[in-house]
Structure formats: structure tokens, C-alpha cells
């Protein structure tokens, strides 16, 4: 998703801006740009290629300055093209003294988010004589700031912001104020980095972009506007009572952000590396666990768990599937009614709030715009108890929620989530046990057995990873297909959904997942000899039912590819291909069964030659609605 880096310094900050963009590159983007204050005006370079290309262009054009902003764009409004790439320049209304053309604009601006009333603002600004050079919603903000500019950039931004509907993080500077950058956020992430010399200060959409430059970070809050100047910064926000902006203090935190520049080591892609890191990621996530207690989720968790009698899980994408798996655990082990909702649906539908609900959000980055909005919606509906399962301790989600469990998957670079998913499942299983304990549903013997199984999990996942050569053999067949079905039942139905999503995301093969019992109610019509049907077959209470569903596929000539637990009696035969998993792993079995599905998607994508770590049209950290 879009990345923002901005700076004011006494030294040339272009290398820092571009290095910052490189750190955000893994999130996926389709164009990038940098603009600086130079030679008394604005100068910029933009590219639809990689940041390295932008860097070469900036070097060639001699772009260097102490004041500048940079951006990676993931297009929402307007095609990925150079003229739509940020930074955007304003150029004063036609006929005015500021109508100096695109090459010498007055205001330069980068934006992350979506301006919903851009059509209306565009019409207004056009009527005032502003000319638009892009199809983006962003450009209206540049012209609007220009319109309000009267010698003070902060005042102009403060006047423009209340006119915007939607979500934004913006960073802006002006030709007439060479050592100043003003930035603001509402609905999109933004941090301030307090410089450690050269009088410099920074803004960025993630502290990771500033790793190695400063570890003094201020997490800006919704509605904050920050004025960066040499050696000083000033944060303000609109006071609803007075209708004026007033200064606010925000704590400066020391944040040891990782640089995101993880080494690939012996792996071909980050996704493969991350699949193989799962035993370590799970072990790290469990490291501090000596026993089950609500306090694993934060101080005061016992009181909260006692006060709730249902769970509402809000998430998107892969996190939605970890939540869907957890529903089975929560209802069967903790005996607590649970519903799981897609965040972008929940936030816009009429629902029946119950204050005795534990609202659980799940997000790898903790910045997922839809999930944050759904969380706020749930709270506004009168549900105060919130908990997040998240991989980034400093994220907005963790800051917003009353309770949290931080997974320790480490940086996940591949856009298709793998180790974040399995560690989320670990966090959700711990939540299930803690709720079960609070509700008197967990005997000491059960707790001890579950803990033993959890501790053994890294070794069990390692054993599944050893199946890679067999999965590679299957992937060569899959690479020639255009469709696939995935089947699972019960606890493993969400795993089938996740397997289908992985295959879609990175190999671009159309894949759908169904609860196996649902096959005969429609999708069986799709089954032919050309349709591979991947079946997740744990040795659980539903196995015999699943076998009948497999027969339904075989009878129609469908090709079955079955991941069967070692203790099932499913044997290979013509049309029935079996990879034998370790013995059944009880309630934690989904964590094992998803691993070969990740490998299948990965190797199929490799065989088709796709850009595995940066699949087309997708981005990491989905910070727009
Ligand atoms: N709406 C803007 C910015 C998009 C964005 O934030 N992507 O992550 C555009 O389309 O340029």
C-alpha cells in the first residue's frame, strides 16, 4: 500500500527518503515519486517502475535538498501512470500569479487514503480556475491547500483538512517556505520521527521507513496535524468546542523498528522463506507461555473475560480465515457463542450490538483500514471490550484495543500471508483456552495436554514441511489448470478457504473452497476430469462423511488431491492422489493442514512464473478502505 516519507533537514535528505521508500517497497506499489524544495521552487521525479529506477532518475536530474517528500502509490483512483504518481503539485488558478504550470508548482503533496468527496471538490476547484493534471482524488488536496495558502502552510493545511471527507495521511511542502513540511492524518497511519542531528525531523507512514535514521517516534493520533521545521516540530488538532486548532502533546517513544530488509538466505522468495520460518515463528509466539491465564492478553483481561458472554471476531482476508477457524475452537472448547464477520461488511450493516461481547480484531500489520474502522464501529455501537491478535506491537490496532496478544511471526514481506496466519491461530487458540478457563470449561488435565500439544507444534510443523518434494510434484500438474476446488469440513473448512485464497492470490488460478457436504448442493456441477479437487482430510469425527463426499467427486471423474492424516485409511488409486500427513493432531490440526496448502500455492505459482512476493494488483498492509 502507499508509503509516505517526508523530511526537513540541514543536509540532503533525498537518500533517506528513497531508502525509506525501499523499506516500504515490500507492501506492493505501482508507481513512486519524490519531490524536493530546490533552487527556489519544486522539483520532482516520478516513475511507474521500482524505487531503484526512481533513484537513478533523481540522481540524473540532480535532485537534492534538505526538504522533501516521497511516496509509493498503490492506485485507487486513476490508473498506475506517471501523471497519477505522487507527489502532486498545485499550480494556482489559471490567470493568477501562481499559474506557473506543472514544472514550477507551488504546493507539493503526497497522500495515502481515499478522498470520498473528490468529485465535488474537483468541480469547485475547476470553477476557481485550477487545472487538473491527474485522475487521482489526491490532486484535489494539493489544489485546496494552494487555494487556502496565504503565506503560512500550516494555516492553509488546517483550513483545507476539514473540507475533506474520507481517509488520509498527507505530507505537504510549499515553494514559499523552504524549510517546512506539514503532515496530517485521519484514518491512515502516520508517525513523526524526531531527528537526532542536522535539525532534522521526519514523517513516515511506518516507523520502519525511518529505521537507522531515528528511533525517536511519535505515533500521531487521528486528527493530528504536525508542523515540521528545522530543529522543532509542533502538533495540533481541531478543538471541536472552539472550532480552532490547539497544540497537543504526544509521547516520544523509542522504537527499534526492524528495517524490513530481511535476507532471503537460501530461499527463492520471501514467501518460501516465511513458510519455512513457521516452526520458529510459532515457537517465538509461544516463548513466554508457562501456563494459561487471561493476563496473557493484558492487565485487566480476567475482569473483561468474566464480563463477556459472546465473541465477535472482525477481520479481512487471511485473518478472516484464522478467525473462522477460531470460531470452532471457541464454541467447542470455551463454549462461548462466537460470530465472525468480514470487517468491511460489518461496519456498514445494521447489527444488534451487545455490550457483553468481546470484540476481537485480527490483523497482521495492525493497520488494516477496514478492520480498524470495524473496531471503531463496534465500540461506537456500545461494545467496549476489545482485544486484538496482531503481529505489530506498535500498530494502531494494538493502541486502539483494550487487550492484545502480539504474535511473534517477525516481519512478513511476502504479500500472501503465511507465518502471520499460523501464529494468529496460535494466539487465537490461547485465547480460547484463557476464555475456557475463565468460564470454568478447562480442567487442569486439559490445560496441561493443550500446552503439551502447543509446545510440540513447531516440531510437528517441521515434519509437514518435509513433505515439500511431494507437493512440488503435484504443483506441476496444478500449474496447467485454470480452476481448482478445495474441500474441508468443520474446523478444516476455513483451512480449505485459506488454501484456495493462497492459490488465487499468487498463481492466479481460479480456486473456490466449499464445506465438503455442500458440494452436492451446487459446485458438483463443475467437477470434470479437468477439475483438481484438493481435499483436507484429517482423521477427525467427520472423516467418514468426508470420504463419502470424495466418492461423489470420484464418481463424476474428478481428480482428488488429498492431504490425509497418517492414521486415516485413505490410499492412492487412479484419480485419487494422497499425500500422507503426520498422525492426527487434534484441535491444533488446522495449523498443520494449512502448511502443505501454502506450499502447493507457492510451487504452483513458481511453475507458472508469477511474481510470487508481489502478486499483481495486491498490496501488503491494506491501509485504504
Ligand atoms: N487515492 C490515492 C492514494 C491511494 C492509496 O493510498 N493507496 O494505498 C491514489 O489513488 O493515488
Amino acid at each position: 500500500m502507499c508509503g509516505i516519507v517526508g523530511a526537513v533537514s540541514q543536509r540532503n535528505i533525498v537518500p533517506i527518503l528513497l531508502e525509506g521508500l525501499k523499506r516500504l517497497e515490500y507492501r506492493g506499489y505501482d508507481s513512486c515519486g519524490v519531490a524536493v524544495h530546490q533552487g527556489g521552487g519544486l522539483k520532482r521525479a516520478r516513475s511507474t517502475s521500482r524505487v531503484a529506477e526512481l533513484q537513478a532518475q533523481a540522481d540524473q536530474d540532480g535532485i537534492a535538498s534538505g526538504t522533501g517528500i516521497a511516496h509509493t502509490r498503490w492506485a485507487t483512483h486513476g490508473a498506475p501512470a506517471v501523471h497519477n504518481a505522487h507527489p502532486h503539485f498545485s499550480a494556482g488558478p489559471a490567470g493568477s500569479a501562481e499559474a506557473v504550470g506543472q514544472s514550477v508548482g507551488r504546493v507539493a503533496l503526497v497522500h495515502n487514503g481515499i478522498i470520498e468527496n473528490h468529485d465535488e471538490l474537483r468541480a469547485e476547484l475547476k470553477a476557481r480556475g485550477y487545472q487538473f493534471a491527474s485522475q487521482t482524488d489526491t490532486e484535489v488536496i494539493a489544489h485546496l491547500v494552494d487555494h487556502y495558502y496565504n503565506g503560512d502552510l500550516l494555516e492553509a493545511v488546517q483550513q483545507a483538512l476539514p473540507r475533506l471527507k474520507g481517509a488520509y495521511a498527507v505530507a505537504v511542502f510549499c515553494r514559499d517556505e523552504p524549510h517546512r513540511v506539514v503532515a496530517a492524518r485521519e484514518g491512515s497511519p502516520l508517525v513523526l520521527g524526531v531527528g537526532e542531528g542536522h535539525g532534522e525531523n521526519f514523517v513516515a507512514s511506518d516507523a520502519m521507513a525511518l529505521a537507522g535514521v531515528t528511533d525517536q517516534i511519535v505515533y500521531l493520533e487521528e486528527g493530528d496535524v504536525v508542523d515540521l521545521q528545522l530543529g522543532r516540530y509542533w502538533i495540533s488538532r481541531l478543538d471541536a468546542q472552539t472550532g480552532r486548532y490547539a497544540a497537543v502533546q504526544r509521547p516520544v517513544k523509542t522504537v527499534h523498528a526492524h528495517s524490513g530488509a530481511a535476507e532471503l538466505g537460501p530461499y527463492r522468495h520471501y514467501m518460501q522463506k516465511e513458510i519455512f520460518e513457521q516452526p520458529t515463528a510459532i515457537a517465538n509466539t509461544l516463548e513466554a507461555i508457562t501456563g494459561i491465564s487471561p493476563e496473557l492478553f493484558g492487565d485487566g483481561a480476567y475482569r473483561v473475560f468474566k464480563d463477556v458472554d459472546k465473541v465477535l471476531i472482525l477481520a479481512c482476508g487471511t485473518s478472516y480465515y484464522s478467525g473462522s477457524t477460531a470460531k470452532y475452537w471457541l464454541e467447542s472448547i470455551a463454549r462461548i457463542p462466537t460470530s465472525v464477520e468480514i470487517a468491511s461488511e460489518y461496519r456498514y450493516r445494521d447489527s444488534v450490538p451487545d455490550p457483553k461481547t468481546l470484540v476481537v480484531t485480527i490483523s497482521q500489520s495492525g493497520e488494516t483500514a477496514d478492520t480498524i474502522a470495524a473496531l471503531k464501529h463496534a465500540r461506537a455501537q456500545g461494545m467496549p471490550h476489545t482485544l486484538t491478535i496482531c503481529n505489530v506491537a506498535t500498530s494502531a490496532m494494538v493502541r486502539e484495543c483494550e487487550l492484545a496478544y502480539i504474535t511473534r511471526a517477525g516481519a512478513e514481506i511476502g504479500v500472501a500471508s503465511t507465518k502471520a496466519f499460523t501464529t494468529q491461530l496460535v494466539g487465537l487458540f490461547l485465547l480460547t483456552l484463557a476464555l475456557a478457563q475463565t468460564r470454568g470449561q478447562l480442567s487442569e488435565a486439559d490445560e496441561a495436554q493443550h500446552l503439551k500439544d502447543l509446545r510440540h507444534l513447531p516440531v510437528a510443523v517441521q515434519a509437514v514441511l518435509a513433505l515439500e518434494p511431494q507437493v512440488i510434484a503435484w504443483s506441476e500438474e496444478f500449474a496447467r489448470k485454470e480452476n481448482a476446488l478445495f474441500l474441508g469440513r468443520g474446523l478444516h473448512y476455513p483451512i480449505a478457504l485459506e488454501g484456495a485464497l493462497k492459490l488465487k492470490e499468487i498463481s492466479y488460478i481460479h480456486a473456490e473452497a466449499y464445506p465438503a457436504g455442500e458440494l452436492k448442493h451446487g459446485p458438483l456441477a463443475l467437477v470434470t476430469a479437468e477439475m483438481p479437487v484438493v481435499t483436507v482430510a484429517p482423521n477427525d469425527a467427520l472423516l467418514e462423511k468426508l470420504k463419502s463426499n470424495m466418492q461423489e467427486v470420484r464418481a463424476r471423474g474428478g481428480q482428488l488431491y488429498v492431504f490425509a492424516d497418517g492414521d486415516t485409511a485413505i490410499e492412492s488409486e487412479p484419480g485419487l492422489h494422497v499425500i500422507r500427513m503426520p498422525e492426527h493432531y487434534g484441535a491444533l490440526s488446522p495449523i498443520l493442514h494449512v502448511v502443505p496448502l501454502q506450499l502447493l500455492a507457492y510451487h504452483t505459482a513458481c511453475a507458472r512464473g508469477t511474481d510470487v512476493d508481489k502478486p499483481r494488483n495486491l498490496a501488503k498492509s491494506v491501509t485504504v478502505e
Side-chain angles (χ1 to χ4, degrees):
M1 283 272 129
C2 289
I4 290 177
V5 193
V8 175
S9 173
Q10 281 156 342
R11 59 174 168 160
N12 174 22
I13 40 67
V14 173
I16 293 175
L17 297 181
L18 295 175
E19 187 54 38
L21 289 191
K22 281 190 182 157
R23 299 221 163 105
L24 299 173
E25 258 190 317
Y26 75 94
R27 297 175 176 213
Y29 64 102
D30 41 53
S31 56
C32 49
V34 58
V36 297
H37 194 287
Q38 192 170 3
L42 311 184
K43 217 169 161 182
R44 74 178 160 197
R46 297 185 290 177
S47 170
T48 50
S49 182
R50 303 271 114 189
V51 175
E53 214 287 310
L54 177 71
Q55 196 161 24
Q57 206 178 310
D59 283 351
Q60 200 177 14
D61 297 351
I63 292 182
S65 170
T67 301
I69 53 179
H71 189 260
T72 46
R73 173 176 190 245
W74 183 82
T76 65
H77 292 56
V82 170
H83 70 279
N84 284 329
H86 305 205
H88 289 284
F89 286 176
S90 76
S96 79
E98 301 306 334
V100 285
Q102 273 299 301
S103 55
V104 204
R106 179 159 77 166
V107 165
L109 178 135
V110 291
H111 163 227
N112 181 9
I114 290 174
I115 303 306
E116 287 166 0
N117 58 337
H118 68 102
D119 278 337
E120 189 185 312
L121 291 171
R122 185 182 289 254
E124 176 189 320
L125 288 157
K126 273 188 174 167
R128 291 183 191 278
Y130 283 93
Q131 286 176 18
F132 282 77
S134 80
Q135 285 82 47
T136 64
D137 50 337
T138 300
E139 197 182 352
V140 299
I141 322 175
H143 293 315
L144 201 61
V145 172
D146 183 285
H147 166 62
Y148 287 114
Y149 189 74
N150 197 9
D152 186 318
L153 184 62
L154 178 63
E155 275 179 19
V157 172
Q158 288 176 335
Q159 281 175 278
L161 294 180
R163 304 280 323 273
L164 306 178
K165 292 203 182 98
Y168 55 80
V170 290
V172 44
F173 69 93
C174 177
R175 185 195 63 198
D176 300 345
E177 297 177 76
H179 305 292
R180 192 177 206 187
V181 168
V182 175
R185 72 164 287 213
E186 182 70 58
S188 298
L190 196 68
V191 302
L192 158 69
V194 183
E196 290 163 352
H198 311 282
E200 63 197 17
N201 288 304
F202 304 89
V203 283
S205 44
D206 190 314
M208 184 203 282
L210 303 176
V213 178
T214 178
D215 59 4
Q216 297 300 291
I217 300 294
V218 176
Y219 288 94
L220 296 169
E221 292 188 13
E222 301 287 13
D224 284 357
V225 182
V226 60
D227 182 6
L228 306 184
Q229 298 192 33
L230 284 175
R232 62 173 287 257
Y233 65 86
W234 191 72
I235 306 172
S236 60
R237 60 187 292 113
L238 195 60
D239 181 329
Q241 304 229 301
T242 62
R244 308 173 84 126
Y245 278 85
V248 279
Q249 301 301 322
R250 300 275 176 245
V252 181
K253 298 193 172 156
T254 303
V255 175
H256 299 294
H258 63 86
S259 67
E263 296 295 327
L264 260 182
Y267 298 101
R268 215 170 130 194
H269 296 98
Y270 283 106
M271 183 178 176
Q272 186 187 27
K273 176 173 186 267
E274 287 156 7
I275 291 172
F276 278 84
E277 277 174 352
Q278 289 179 111
T280 313
I282 292 170
N284 289 344
T285 298
L286 288 166
E287 198 183 355
I289 309 294
T290 49
I292 299 302
S293 100
E295 268 57 41
L296 294 174
F297 297 86
D299 294 342
Y302 178 75
R303 178 186 46 79
V304 173
F305 288 5
K306 269 285 181 211
D307 196 39
V308 296
D309 55 22
K310 61 167 72 108
V311 173
L312 167 63
I313 298 176
L314 303 171
C316 312
T318 287
S319 301
Y320 174 73
Y321 297 142
S322 67
S324 304
T325 310
K327 173 183 164 76
Y328 289 85
W329 288 332
L330 286 158
E331 296 207 332
S332 76
I333 299 173
R335 310 294 305 152
I336 185 162
T338 301
S339 51
V340 193
E341 299 234 17
I342 290 174
S344 56
E345 284 295 312
Y346 170 75
R347 62 183 289 202
Y348 290 119
R349 78 175 184 82
D350 275 341
S351 53
V352 185
D354 177 347
K356 290 177 96 55
T357 302
L358 178 63
V359 178
V360 176
T361 61
I362 311 170
S363 165
Q364 188 283 128
S365 65
E367 303 291 349
T368 315
D370 283 320
T371 312
I372 293 177
L375 164 72
K376 290 181 180 169
H377 177 73
R379 223 173 18 213
Q381 299 271 301
M383 295 188 279
H385 296 313
T386 57
L387 181 151
T388 188
I389 306 284
C390 185
N391 197 35
V392 181
T394 51
S395 62
M397 198 78 80
V398 175
R399 283 178 276 129
E400 284 283 340
C401 284
E402 193 180 13
L403 303 170
Y405 192 81
I406 309 298
T407 53
R408 301 212 11 224
E412 193 179 62
I413 307 288
V415 165
S417 183
T418 53
K419 61 178 180 170
F421 179 72
T422 42
T423 52
Q424 282 169 358
L425 286 174
V426 168
L428 288 160
F429 193 73
L430 291 169
L431 175 64
T432 302
L433 298 184
L435 278 164
Q437 187 186 63
T438 312
R439 297 164 65 81
Q441 300 286 343
L442 189 71
S443 69
E444 279 185 22
D446 284 349
E447 177 183 340
Q449 185 58 48
H450 286 311
L451 280 173
K452 196 165 158 231
D453 291 347
L454 277 168
R455 290 209 183 91
H456 182 68
L457 201 50
V459 176
V461 172
Q462 199 73 54
V464 179
L465 288 168
L467 299 172
E468 189 183 36
Q470 295 176 57
V471 179
I472 292 175
W474 282 11
S475 67
E476 279 149 22
E477 313 251 322
F478 276 71
R480 292 192 288 273
K481 306 285 182 189
E482 287 310 323
N483 297 285
L485 280 179
F486 284 67
L487 303 180
R489 288 195 82 126
L491 199 50
H492 294 78
Y493 165 50
I495 296 306
L497 285 163
E498 171 61 5
L501 179 64
K502 285 283 93 78
L503 193 67
K504 275 186 268 216
E505 284 179 308
I506 58 170
S507 76
Y508 315 146
I509 292 173
H510 174 228
E512 296 297 336
Y514 285 93
E518 191 63 9
L519 202 58
K520 56 191 173 295
H521 297 288
L524 199 53
L526 296 172
V527 172
T528 65
E530 281 310 298
M531 176 69 87
V533 182
V534 179
T535 309
V536 183
N539 190 11
D540 62 11
L542 293 169
L543 181 66
E544 290 311 317
K545 301 280 172 208
L546 185 73
K547 281 182 176 169
S548 304
N549 304 138
M550 285 162 51
Q551 286 306 323
E552 292 159 13
V553 173
R554 278 304 298 132
R556 271 108 196 142
Q559 294 287 312
L560 283 161
Y561 293 82
V562 185
F563 292 99
D565 280 354
D567 41 3
T568 60
I570 302 175
E571 300 296 339
S572 295
E573 57 181 76
L576 173 58
H577 314 269
V578 179
I579 288 182
R580 206 155 285 291
M581 301 275 292
E583 286 187 0
H584 185 51
Y585 208 75
L588 291 166
S589 166
I591 300 179
L592 297 194
H593 267 278
V594 76
V595 174
L597 302 186
Q598 297 167 342
L599 287 170
L600 181 64
Y602 172 72
H603 286 292
T604 304
C606 288
R608 287 167 72 100
T610 61
D611 189 350
V612 173
D613 284 332
K614 297 191 182 77
R616 72 179 177 212
N617 304 340
L618 301 182
K620 196 90 184 157
S621 290
V622 186
T623 51
V624 294
E625 197 185 323

